Amino acid sequence: MSAGNGQAQKDAACQSGAAVFLSNPLMSDVESDWSPVHDAAFNGRILTLRKLLAQGACVNLNTLDKVSPLHGACMQGHTACAQFLMENGANVNGSSVDGRTALTQACARGHVTCVSLLLQHGADPRGAGPAGSPIHSAAAEGQPQCIEPLVRRGADVDQHIDTLGSPLQVACSNQRLGAVKKLLQLGASVNRSVCGDAPLHIAARLSSPELLTVLLDHGADRSLLNPEGKTPLQLAAPGSWAETLLRQAGGVAPLVQLCRIHIRNTVGRQRLGGIRDLHLPAELIQYLLFQSDLRGETLH
């Protein structure tokens, strides 16, 4: 292949976002596919990045694992580098060999500014596949600040993945209380379980009274049976606070709590944000949105 033809193919690949590989045989196998462009993006060296692209470096240069410079910038939260890369044609939805996009990386690390930038530039809030679901990554790593922009852009708050379950199940399994609260505030189904344990079963197995309290406040059904035919109470450690809490929750929930759950269910998940526009006292609106209790104290 002539040098001219090789350069033309490289330029076409850069413009289309196709994978382009760089390998240095003098380096180790681990490092042989890590380029100066990746290094600049990963370390937030915007001036170096500008210089490299001006000299003809490919913005969509991939490692052998299909990690792009944009992946590296978003993994580290370098928004200036991410913005520059996208403005110069970076493939915003390119995925690594394990299905992780730049958006997945940003969500896992809690870089909410990068998340917003990526979504503004057309990043798919659903990710590139089950292994790279941004909302599941945010839930697993306890990054509630990244969950809301995903849902606003169309991510399914109840998205089911066979190997993981729903984002709420993932958040419960990893004991990410903040993520659990955010998912429930955004309308995640507290009793939904396509397979395996429901969120309340998971919290009971973990003997986590904090998780149990939040789930019960949002209407979790303590009588649900898991695939083993057991209730959450039967899964709680004997003598634990979790067992005590589940036993105490056996009666009828307070009327105000039942009303809140009924109103939210009637409004529907897609319209929960509209509660803010209702002609109701601010304290009541915050209560309906699970942002405060009836005494006006903020819920964290």
Side-chain angles (χ1 to χ4, degrees), residues 78-108:
H78 297 309
T79 55
C81 289
Q83 177 80 31
F84 179 71
L85 289 166
M86 288 185 284
E87 288 174 349
N88 283 271
N91 181 4
V92 73
N93 286 311
S95 61
S96 59
V97 291
D98 60 358
R100 298 175 75 83
T101 63
L103 182 59
T104 309
Q105 299 284 18
C107 286

PDB file of all heavy atoms in Angstrom, residues 78-108:
ATOM      1  N   HIS A  78     -12.270  15.255  32.604  1.00  0.00           N
ATOM      2  CA  HIS A  78     -11.641  16.422  31.983  1.00  0.00           C
ATOM      3  C   HIS A  78     -12.599  17.003  30.933  1.00  0.00           C
ATOM      4  O   HIS A  78     -12.557  16.634  29.753  1.00  0.00           O
ATOM      5  CB  HIS A  78     -10.307  16.036  31.355  1.00  0.00           C
ATOM      6  CG  HIS A  78      -9.295  15.559  32.345  1.00  0.00           C
ATOM      7  ND1 HIS A  78      -8.988  16.269  33.491  1.00  0.00           N
ATOM      8  CD2 HIS A  78      -8.527  14.441  32.380  1.00  0.00           C
ATOM      9  CE1 HIS A  78      -8.067  15.614  34.177  1.00  0.00           C
ATOM     10  NE2 HIS A  78      -7.773  14.498  33.531  1.00  0.00           N
ATOM     11  N   THR A  79     -13.456  17.907  31.375  1.00  0.00           N
ATOM     12  CA  THR A  79     -14.526  18.410  30.509  1.00  0.00           C
ATOM     13  C   THR A  79     -13.997  19.218  29.329  1.00  0.00           C
ATOM     14  O   THR A  79     -14.552  19.158  28.236  1.00  0.00           O
ATOM     15  CB  THR A  79     -15.503  19.265  31.322  1.00  0.00           C
ATOM     16  OG1 THR A  79     -14.781  20.306  32.002  1.00  0.00           O
ATOM     17  CG2 THR A  79     -16.229  18.430  32.353  1.00  0.00           C
ATOM     18  N   ALA A  80     -12.935  19.998  29.529  1.00  0.00           N
ATOM     19  CA  ALA A  80     -12.397  20.807  28.431  1.00  0.00           C
ATOM     20  C   ALA A  80     -11.889  19.900  27.314  1.00  0.00           C
ATOM     21  O   ALA A  80     -12.124  20.167  26.123  1.00  0.00           O
ATOM     22  CB  ALA A  80     -11.281  21.708  28.936  1.00  0.00           C
ATOM     23  N   CYS A  81     -11.206  18.839  27.676  1.00  0.00           N
ATOM     24  CA  CYS A  81     -10.713  17.895  26.676  1.00  0.00           C
ATOM     25  C   CYS A  81     -11.868  17.177  25.985  1.00  0.00           C
ATOM     26  O   CYS A  81     -11.860  16.996  24.759  1.00  0.00           O
ATOM     27  CB  CYS A  81      -9.777  16.875  27.323  1.00  0.00           C
ATOM     28  SG  CYS A  81      -8.178  17.552  27.837  1.00  0.00           S
ATOM     29  N   ALA A  82     -12.858  16.764  26.777  1.00  0.00           N
ATOM     30  CA  ALA A  82     -14.013  16.078  26.195  1.00  0.00           C
ATOM     31  C   ALA A  82     -14.745  16.982  25.216  1.00  0.00           C
ATOM     32  O   ALA A  82     -15.122  16.565  24.113  1.00  0.00           O
ATOM     33  CB  ALA A  82     -14.954  15.618  27.305  1.00  0.00           C
ATOM     34  N   GLN A  83     -14.947  18.244  25.609  1.00  0.00           N
ATOM     35  CA  GLN A  83     -15.625  19.206  24.745  1.00  0.00           C
ATOM     36  C   GLN A  83     -14.841  19.397  23.443  1.00  0.00           C
ATOM     37  O   GLN A  83     -15.428  19.385  22.350  1.00  0.00           O
ATOM     38  CB  GLN A  83     -15.752  20.541  25.471  1.00  0.00           C
ATOM     39  CG  GLN A  83     -16.386  21.659  24.655  1.00  0.00           C
ATOM     40  CD  GLN A  83     -17.897  21.566  24.605  1.00  0.00           C
ATOM     41  OE1 GLN A  83     -18.526  21.086  25.550  1.00  0.00           O
ATOM     42  NE2 GLN A  83     -18.494  22.016  23.520  1.00  0.00           N
ATOM     43  N   PHE A  84     -13.535  19.552  23.552  1.00  0.00           N
ATOM     44  CA  PHE A  84     -12.697  19.773  22.367  1.00  0.00           C
ATOM     45  C   PHE A  84     -12.751  18.564  21.434  1.00  0.00           C
ATOM     46  O   PHE A  84     -12.856  18.706  20.212  1.00  0.00           O
ATOM     47  CB  PHE A  84     -11.259  20.048  22.802  1.00  0.00           C
ATOM     48  CG  PHE A  84     -10.315  20.259  21.658  1.00  0.00           C
ATOM     49  CD1 PHE A  84     -10.371  21.406  20.886  1.00  0.00           C
ATOM     50  CD2 PHE A  84      -9.358  19.294  21.347  1.00  0.00           C
ATOM     51  CE1 PHE A  84      -9.499  21.601  19.822  1.00  0.00           C
ATOM     52  CE2 PHE A  84      -8.486  19.474  20.286  1.00  0.00           C
ATOM     53  CZ  PHE A  84      -8.557  20.634  19.519  1.00  0.00           C
ATOM     54  N   LEU A  85     -12.678  17.369  22.001  1.00  0.00           N
ATOM     55  CA  LEU A  85     -12.718  16.157  21.190  1.00  0.00           C
ATOM     56  C   LEU A  85     -14.046  16.033  20.441  1.00  0.00           C
ATOM     57  O   LEU A  85     -14.072  15.712  19.246  1.00  0.00           O
ATOM     58  CB  LEU A  85     -12.493  14.928  22.072  1.00  0.00           C
ATOM     59  CG  LEU A  85     -11.080  14.749  22.614  1.00  0.00           C
ATOM     60  CD1 LEU A  85     -11.052  13.723  23.729  1.00  0.00           C
ATOM     61  CD2 LEU A  85     -10.120  14.342  21.494  1.00  0.00           C
ATOM     62  N   MET A  86     -15.151  16.307  21.133  1.00  0.00           N
ATOM     63  CA  MET A  86     -16.456  16.199  20.485  1.00  0.00           C
ATOM     64  C   MET A  86     -16.644  17.266  19.415  1.00  0.00           C
ATOM     65  O   MET A  86     -17.243  17.004  18.360  1.00  0.00           O
ATOM     66  CB  MET A  86     -17.570  16.267  21.546  1.00  0.00           C
ATOM     67  CG  MET A  86     -17.668  15.009  22.398  1.00  0.00           C
ATOM     68  SD  MET A  86     -19.063  14.999  23.554  1.00  0.00           S
ATOM     69  CE  MET A  86     -18.454  16.111  24.824  1.00  0.00           C
ATOM     70  N   GLU A  87     -16.128  18.458  19.676  1.00  0.00           N
ATOM     71  CA  GLU A  87     -16.235  19.525  18.674  1.00  0.00           C
ATOM     72  C   GLU A  87     -15.410  19.217  17.427  1.00  0.00           C
ATOM     73  O   GLU A  87     -15.656  19.781  16.357  1.00  0.00           O
ATOM     74  CB  GLU A  87     -15.758  20.847  19.288  1.00  0.00           C
ATOM     75  CG  GLU A  87     -16.735  21.431  20.304  1.00  0.00           C
ATOM     76  CD  GLU A  87     -16.180  22.660  20.997  1.00  0.00           C
ATOM     77  OE1 GLU A  87     -14.958  22.922  20.837  1.00  0.00           O
ATOM     78  OE2 GLU A  87     -16.947  23.347  21.693  1.00  0.00           O
ATOM     79  N   ASN A  88     -14.458  18.296  17.569  1.00  0.00           N
ATOM     80  CA  ASN A  88     -13.608  17.933  16.442  1.00  0.00           C
ATOM     81  C   ASN A  88     -13.928  16.539  15.895  1.00  0.00           C
ATOM     82  O   ASN A  88     -13.086  15.907  15.258  1.00  0.00           O
ATOM     83  CB  ASN A  88     -12.143  18.023  16.846  1.00  0.00           C
ATOM     84  CG  ASN A  88     -11.645  19.455  16.898  1.00  0.00           C
ATOM     85  OD1 ASN A  88     -11.181  19.992  15.904  1.00  0.00           O
ATOM     86  ND2 ASN A  88     -11.759  20.085  18.069  1.00  0.00           N
ATOM     87  N   GLY A  89     -15.144  16.094  16.161  1.00  0.00           N
ATOM     88  CA  GLY A  89     -15.624  14.880  15.502  1.00  0.00           C
ATOM     89  C   GLY A  89     -15.476  13.585  16.255  1.00  0.00           C
ATOM     90  O   GLY A  89     -15.624  12.504  15.657  1.00  0.00           O
ATOM     91  N   ALA A  90     -15.224  13.624  17.549  1.00  0.00           N
ATOM     92  CA  ALA A  90     -15.119  12.382  18.307  1.00  0.00           C
ATOM     93  C   ALA A  90     -16.442  11.625  18.263  1.00  0.00           C
ATOM     94  O   ALA A  90     -17.520  12.212  18.352  1.00  0.00           O
ATOM     95  CB  ALA A  90     -14.734  12.672  19.755  1.00  0.00           C
ATOM     96  N   ASN A  91     -16.351  10.304  18.134  1.00  0.00           N
ATOM     97  CA  ASN A  91     -17.540   9.449  18.116  1.00  0.00           C
ATOM     98  C   ASN A  91     -18.079   9.331  19.536  1.00  0.00           C
ATOM     99  O   ASN A  91     -17.537   8.602  20.359  1.00  0.00           O
ATOM    100  CB  ASN A  91     -17.176   8.076  17.556  1.00  0.00           C
ATOM    101  CG  ASN A  91     -18.375   7.140  17.484  1.00  0.00           C
ATOM    102  OD1 ASN A  91     -19.498   7.533  17.779  1.00  0.00           O
ATOM    103  ND2 ASN A  91     -18.134   5.907  17.095  1.00  0.00           N
ATOM    104  N   VAL A  92     -19.148  10.044  19.795  1.00  0.00           N
ATOM    105  CA  VAL A  92     -19.653  10.143  21.165  1.00  0.00           C
ATOM    106  C   VAL A  92     -20.241   8.832  21.667  1.00  0.00           C
ATOM    107  O   VAL A  92     -20.318   8.596  22.877  1.00  0.00           O
ATOM    108  CB  VAL A  92     -20.685  11.294  21.263  1.00  0.00           C
ATOM    109  CG1 VAL A  92     -21.980  10.909  20.581  1.00  0.00           C
ATOM    110  CG2 VAL A  92     -20.935  11.699  22.709  1.00  0.00           C
ATOM    111  N   ASN A  93     -20.652   7.942  20.756  1.00  0.00           N
ATOM    112  CA  ASN A  93     -21.257   6.670  21.161  1.00  0.00           C
ATOM    113  C   ASN A  93     -20.355   5.471  20.901  1.00  0.00           C
ATOM    114  O   ASN A  93     -20.815   4.324  20.944  1.00  0.00           O
ATOM    115  CB  ASN A  93     -22.596   6.480  20.441  1.00  0.00           C
ATOM    116  CG  ASN A  93     -23.682   7.378  21.009  1.00  0.00           C
ATOM    117  OD1 ASN A  93     -23.888   7.437  22.219  1.00  0.00           O
ATOM    118  ND2 ASN A  93     -24.363   8.114  20.147  1.00  0.00           N
ATOM    119  N   GLY A  94     -19.076   5.720  20.639  1.00  0.00           N
ATOM    120  CA  GLY A  94     -18.159   4.609  20.458  1.00  0.00           C
ATOM    121  C   GLY A  94     -18.026   3.805  21.742  1.00  0.00           C
ATOM    122  O   GLY A  94     -17.997   4.350  22.847  1.00  0.00           O
ATOM    123  N   SER A  95     -17.956   2.488  21.603  1.00  0.00           N
ATOM    124  CA  SER A  95     -17.890   1.632  22.796  1.00  0.00           C
ATOM    125  C   SER A  95     -16.624   0.790  22.791  1.00  0.00           C
ATOM    126  O   SER A  95     -16.101   0.416  21.735  1.00  0.00           O
ATOM    127  CB  SER A  95     -19.108   0.718  22.878  1.00  0.00           C
ATOM    128  OG  SER A  95     -19.174  -0.141  21.752  1.00  0.00           O
ATOM    129  N   SER A  96     -16.133   0.501  23.964  1.00  0.00           N
ATOM    130  CA  SER A  96     -14.959  -0.345  24.125  1.00  0.00           C
ATOM    131  C   SER A  96     -15.366  -1.808  23.921  1.00  0.00           C
ATOM    132  O   SER A  96     -16.544  -2.118  23.727  1.00  0.00           O
ATOM    133  CB  SER A  96     -14.351  -0.146  25.517  1.00  0.00           C
ATOM    134  OG  SER A  96     -15.307  -0.464  26.512  1.00  0.00           O
ATOM    135  N   VAL A  97     -14.410  -2.711  23.980  1.00  0.00           N
ATOM    136  CA  VAL A  97     -14.720  -4.118  23.735  1.00  0.00           C
ATOM    137  C   VAL A  97     -15.690  -4.681  24.780  1.00  0.00           C
ATOM    138  O   VAL A  97     -16.397  -5.655  24.517  1.00  0.00           O
ATOM    139  CB  VAL A  97     -13.435  -4.972  23.698  1.00  0.00           C
ATOM    140  CG1 VAL A  97     -12.607  -4.655  22.486  1.00  0.00           C
ATOM    141  CG2 VAL A  97     -12.627  -4.807  24.982  1.00  0.00           C
ATOM    142  N   ASP A  98     -15.737  -4.082  25.957  1.00  0.00           N
ATOM    143  CA  ASP A  98     -16.676  -4.547  26.980  1.00  0.00           C
ATOM    144  C   ASP A  98     -17.981  -3.754  26.961  1.00  0.00           C
ATOM    145  O   ASP A  98     -18.791  -3.864  27.889  1.00  0.00           O
ATOM    146  CB  ASP A  98     -16.036  -4.504  28.368  1.00  0.00           C
ATOM    147  CG  ASP A  98     -15.582  -3.105  28.781  1.00  0.00           C
ATOM    148  OD1 ASP A  98     -15.733  -2.170  27.961  1.00  0.00           O
ATOM    149  OD2 ASP A  98     -15.077  -2.957  29.902  1.00  0.00           O
ATOM    150  N   GLY A  99     -18.184  -2.957  25.906  1.00  0.00           N
ATOM    151  CA  GLY A  99     -19.468  -2.273  25.730  1.00  0.00           C
ATOM    152  C   GLY A  99     -19.615  -0.970  26.470  1.00  0.00           C
ATOM    153  O   GLY A  99     -20.719  -0.416  26.524  1.00  0.00           O
ATOM    154  N   ARG A 100     -18.553  -0.444  27.023  1.00  0.00           N
ATOM    155  CA  ARG A 100     -18.645   0.787  27.804  1.00  0.00           C
ATOM    156  C   ARG A 100     -18.386   1.995  26.910  1.00  0.00           C
ATOM    157  O   ARG A 100     -17.370   2.071  26.221  1.00  0.00           O
ATOM    158  CB  ARG A 100     -17.651   0.758  28.964  1.00  0.00           C
ATOM    159  CG  ARG A 100     -17.928  -0.376  29.949  1.00  0.00           C
ATOM    160  CD  ARG A 100     -16.868  -0.462  31.017  1.00  0.00           C
ATOM    161  NE  ARG A 100     -17.002   0.587  31.997  1.00  0.00           N
ATOM    162  CZ  ARG A 100     -17.821   0.556  33.041  1.00  0.00           C
ATOM    163  NH1 ARG A 100     -18.600  -0.499  33.234  1.00  0.00           N
ATOM    164  NH2 ARG A 100     -17.868   1.534  33.902  1.00  0.00           N
ATOM    165  N   THR A 101     -19.309   2.937  26.945  1.00  0.00           N
ATOM    166  CA  THR A 101     -19.151   4.181  26.202  1.00  0.00           C
ATOM    167  C   THR A 101     -18.520   5.238  27.101  1.00  0.00           C
ATOM    168  O   THR A 101     -18.348   5.027  28.309  1.00  0.00           O
ATOM    169  CB  THR A 101     -20.517   4.698  25.705  1.00  0.00           C
ATOM    170  OG1 THR A 101     -21.341   5.000  26.849  1.00  0.00           O
ATOM    171  CG2 THR A 101     -21.216   3.669  24.830  1.00  0.00           C
ATOM    172  N   ALA A 102     -18.204   6.382  26.505  1.00  0.00           N
ATOM    173  CA  ALA A 102     -17.681   7.485  27.308  1.00  0.00           C
ATOM    174  C   ALA A 102     -18.703   7.899  28.367  1.00  0.00           C
ATOM    175  O   ALA A 102     -18.342   8.263  29.492  1.00  0.00           O
ATOM    176  CB  ALA A 102     -17.336   8.663  26.400  1.00  0.00           C
ATOM    177  N   LEU A 103     -19.996   7.819  28.019  1.00  0.00           N
ATOM    178  CA  LEU A 103     -21.052   8.168  28.970  1.00  0.00           C
ATOM    179  C   LEU A 103     -21.066   7.191  30.143  1.00  0.00           C
ATOM    180  O   LEU A 103     -21.245   7.597  31.301  1.00  0.00           O
ATOM    181  CB  LEU A 103     -22.402   8.182  28.261  1.00  0.00           C
ATOM    182  CG  LEU A 103     -23.618   8.583  29.103  1.00  0.00           C
ATOM    183  CD1 LEU A 103     -23.454   9.988  29.676  1.00  0.00           C
ATOM    184  CD2 LEU A 103     -24.896   8.501  28.265  1.00  0.00           C
ATOM    185  N   THR A 104     -20.889   5.920  29.867  1.00  0.00           N
ATOM    186  CA  THR A 104     -20.822   4.927  30.940  1.00  0.00           C
ATOM    187  C   THR A 104     -19.675   5.231  31.890  1.00  0.00           C
ATOM    188  O   THR A 104     -19.825   5.167  33.112  1.00  0.00           O
ATOM    189  CB  THR A 104     -20.638   3.518  30.351  1.00  0.00           C
ATOM    190  OG1 THR A 104     -21.617   3.279  29.342  1.00  0.00           O
ATOM    191  CG2 THR A 104     -20.781   2.458  31.427  1.00  0.00           C
ATOM    192  N   GLN A 105     -18.522   5.574  31.319  1.00  0.00           N
ATOM    193  CA  GLN A 105     -17.357   5.885  32.141  1.00  0.00           C
ATOM    194  C   GLN A 105     -17.599   7.110  33.008  1.00  0.00           C
ATOM    195  O   GLN A 105     -17.265   7.130  34.195  1.00  0.00           O
ATOM    196  CB  GLN A 105     -16.135   6.133  31.235  1.00  0.00           C
ATOM    197  CG  GLN A 105     -15.730   4.959  30.361  1.00  0.00           C
ATOM    198  CD  GLN A 105     -15.004   3.865  31.139  1.00  0.00           C
ATOM    199  OE1 GLN A 105     -15.077   3.803  32.367  1.00  0.00           O
ATOM    200  NE2 GLN A 105     -14.316   3.001  30.426  1.00  0.00           N
ATOM    201  N   ALA A 106     -18.188   8.149  32.419  1.00  0.00           N
ATOM    202  CA  ALA A 106     -18.448   9.374  33.178  1.00  0.00           C
ATOM    203  C   ALA A 106     -19.433   9.118  34.308  1.00  0.00           C
ATOM    204  O   ALA A 106     -19.279   9.644  35.417  1.00  0.00           O
ATOM    205  CB  ALA A 106     -18.976  10.457  32.242  1.00  0.00           C
ATOM    206  N   CYS A 107     -20.458   8.303  34.039  1.00  0.00           N
ATOM    207  CA  CYS A 107     -21.462   7.994  35.073  1.00  0.00           C
ATOM    208  C   CYS A 107     -20.854   7.192  36.216  1.00  0.00           C
ATOM    209  O   CYS A 107     -21.158   7.431  37.387  1.00  0.00           O
ATOM    210  CB  CYS A 107     -22.618   7.220  34.452  1.00  0.00           C
ATOM    211  SG  CYS A 107     -23.717   8.225  33.432  1.00  0.00           S
ATOM    212  N   ALA A 108     -20.013   6.229  35.877  1.00  0.00           N
ATOM    213  CA  ALA A 108     -19.397   5.396  36.905  1.00  0.00           C
ATOM    214  C   ALA A 108     -18.499   6.211  37.831  1.00  0.00           C
ATOM    215  O   ALA A 108     -18.392   5.914  39.023  1.00  0.00           O
ATOM    216  CB  ALA A 108     -18.597   4.271  36.254  1.00  0.00           C
TER     217      ALA A 108
END
